[in-house]
Amino acid sequence: MNTRSHRRSVAAIGIALAAVMPLAACAGGGSSSSGDGSGDGTDPEAFTVMTANENPVLEEQLTALAEGACEAENEALPLEHQKVAQADTVQKVTLLASQGALPTHTIAGTALIRPDGDLNAAGLVGDLKAALEGSGAWENVLPAAASTVEQVYGGMYSMPYQYNIEGIWYNKQILADNGVEEPQTWDEFVDASQTLLDAGVVPMTEAGANGWPLTRLMGMYIFRNVGPEAMAAVRDGDSELTSADYVAGAQALADYAAAGYFGEGFSTRDGDTSSNMFLTGKAAMTYDGSWFLSAINDPERNQIGEDNIGFMPFPAVDGGAGSIDQYAANAGAPMIINAEQFGPKVVDWISCIAENYGQQALQSAGVISGFEVNGEVTDIPTNTAAIQERIAGIDETVLWFEALMDSQSNSLASTNVTLLTTGQMSPEDYMTELQASIDGNR
């Protein structure tokens, strides 16, 4: 392996260099190669996986695979674990890369692994799609997960160990009692909300104090109206948030809030309060992700019963270019393969993971992943099973509103959305300030 050329690349793009030492991982067996990330790197001596301290589930599940379905792969290339604090990920990964000591399979920062990111530009991010296609295991990655990973990172650079979709959870009984069926369009959704309000029910609860639940609604309206590439076009400078189709999303959110559909005090409502309003029957609907399943599956919190909860996609916008079938989604923290160590044994490992992780994690931990569930799963809560089945049928996803924004603009979007939804800022001004921030931080 030509480690020196990679180190020069890392230095050239600004990764802080410490005393450069030989890449220990190159001591393992395997074929020498250019390490282009398609599975033709040089195998290390161990399948070293670095995960976040805050995510013990992934370590547990990979260990279970090493002792079970992937026992042969583990014998050929033993699994070893390393840990890092989530907040220290970028600093730690950057340091290890500069030392030629990046683990085989590691958590990383989103910006680092995109095509123009430091790690990817240095040739250190493996192409998972190419490797899994080559091994015949690509069919084990759900199309929805592949769509999301490729949108977030600019390529199939992360294993989707966690997978979440977003949509509207609703109380079946409340809707039925008021003659409301699942709205298919935004206009139907607004009409349904008015019907519920007239009946003395809070139509929708959101944690307005957190900001992002409100920007999610606005963003989904924009994706439905403009199309799935709406925010990528803003990022690339091909569109602006100040155009009428985008401002319409801010206007729709402002109008919905002004009508009282979020209930009193929504702008200072925190996450737990909002969740409890829904789970105790005090609100008919809430927009949230599939991570909400942990609360739904908790009988102490869920007072309305798991069989009384439904889930629907954000409705379509009449005349819009987006589709109701395009769910907002995310695939958890990025977990990459070090391209320099992407040898045949590593390919075998990730192929085995792709084939078996979906069933393993769902059965033993109730975790929904972006992998096919190849095998029987028993005693899974009703709503968890329903979401897993729904995910398996999704072909295309969209990102959340702020996903492609810089950190400053991301923060501004959440801060100003309170002003927008309480009538202190017009939709035009909201989008103008946000666009100016995006332009200023390119």
Side-chain angles (χ1 to χ4, degrees), residues 57-407:
V57 173
L58 180 53
E59 178 178 346
E60 293 166 2
Q61 298 309 309
L62 292 180
T63 297
L65 288 178
E67 296 171 350
C70 300
E71 182 178 9
E73 288 75 15
N74 187 56
E75 289 181 358
L77 193 65
L79 173 66
E80 293 183 0
H81 290 289
Q82 295 181 9
K83 306 297 288 186
V84 63
Q86 184 95 38
D88 297 335
T89 295
V90 172
Q91 180 181 6
K92 180 71 171 180
V93 168
T94 298
L95 176 61
L96 291 174
S98 73
Q99 296 173 335
L102 196 67
T104 310
H105 191 20
T106 180
I107 186 173
T110 297
L112 293 176
I113 70 173
R114 286 172 173 160
D116 59 351
D118 287 354
L119 292 182
N120 209 325
L124 295 175
V125 181
D127 184 342
L128 291 162
K129 183 176 182 180
L132 291 173
E133 283 183 336
S135 70
W138 176 246
E139 63 185 16
N140 294 300
V141 179
L142 296 175
S147 172
T148 301
V149 170
E150 289 170 355
Q151 287 182 74
V152 174
Y153 306 118
M156 192 64 200
Y157 301 131
S158 175
M159 292 282 276
Y161 290 116
Q162 295 174 305
Y163 195 68
N164 295 295
I165 60 171
E166 299 173 10
I168 298 170
W169 300 92
Y170 63 91
N171 186 311
K172 294 178 181 178
Q173 189 63 54
I174 291 178
L175 266 61
D177 287 347
N178 290 279
V180 174
E181 298 181 355
E182 280 193 20
Q184 299 300 302
T185 68
W186 177 257
D187 290 342
E188 291 178 3
F189 181 72
V190 172
D191 289 344
S193 297
Q194 185 63 52
T195 297
L196 294 167
L197 187 64
D198 291 343
V201 177
V202 175
M204 172 166 271
T205 178
E206 295 299 337
N210 294 345
W212 67 262
L214 300 176
T215 61
R216 286 291 209 273
L217 295 171
M218 176 176 60
M220 287 308 299
Y221 186 101
I222 291 171
F223 283 122
R224 296 290 190 257
N225 194 33
V226 180
E229 300 300 321
M231 298 310 296
V234 172
R235 176 201 60 194
D236 297 339
D238 298 327
S239 296
E240 294 192 347
L241 294 174
T242 52
S243 68
D245 287 346
Y246 290 83
V247 173
Q251 186 69 62
L253 176 63
D255 291 345
Y256 192 86
Y261 298 143
F262 291 128
E264 295 183 4
F266 75 90
S267 64
T268 57
R269 191 180 301 152
D270 62 24
D272 284 341
T273 300
S274 181
S275 296
N276 289 337
M277 282 183 66
F278 177 75
L279 293 171
T280 57
K282 296 177 181 177
M285 299 180 288
T286 187
Y287 183 94
D288 215 325
S290 51
W291 56 81
F292 190 43
L293 285 166
S294 62
I296 290 174
N297 294 333
D298 183 347
E300 293 186 4
R301 294 194 64 184
N302 184 358
Q303 301 298 305
I304 62 177
E306 64 175 1
D307 293 338
N308 193 30
I309 296 177
F311 181 81
M312 61 182 173
F314 190 91
V317 172
D318 287 333
S323 168
I324 195 173
D325 298 322
Q326 296 159 346
Y327 289 78
N330 70 75
M335 286 292 300
I336 68 168
I337 294 291
N338 180 348
E340 292 187 324
Q341 299 179 30
F342 215 160
K345 293 180 182 179
V346 172
V347 172
D348 288 344
W349 245 116
I350 67 162
S351 298
C352 186
I353 292 171
E355 181 178 356
N356 295 286
Y357 189 89
Q359 189 273 342
Q360 169 69 38
L362 186 59
Q363 179 66 77
S364 64
V367 171
I368 295 177
S369 72
F371 299 109
E372 289 280 0
V373 177
N374 296 315
E376 183 180 5
V377 177
T378 57
D379 300 323
I380 297 299
T382 302
N383 287 287
T384 300
I387 292 296
Q388 174 67 43
E389 183 178 356
R390 190 180 293 252
I391 288 173
I394 299 172
D395 292 324
E396 184 180 16
T397 60
V398 296
L399 302 180
W400 56 103
F401 180 62
E402 303 95 332
L404 302 178
M405 294 182 190
D406 60 274
S407 59

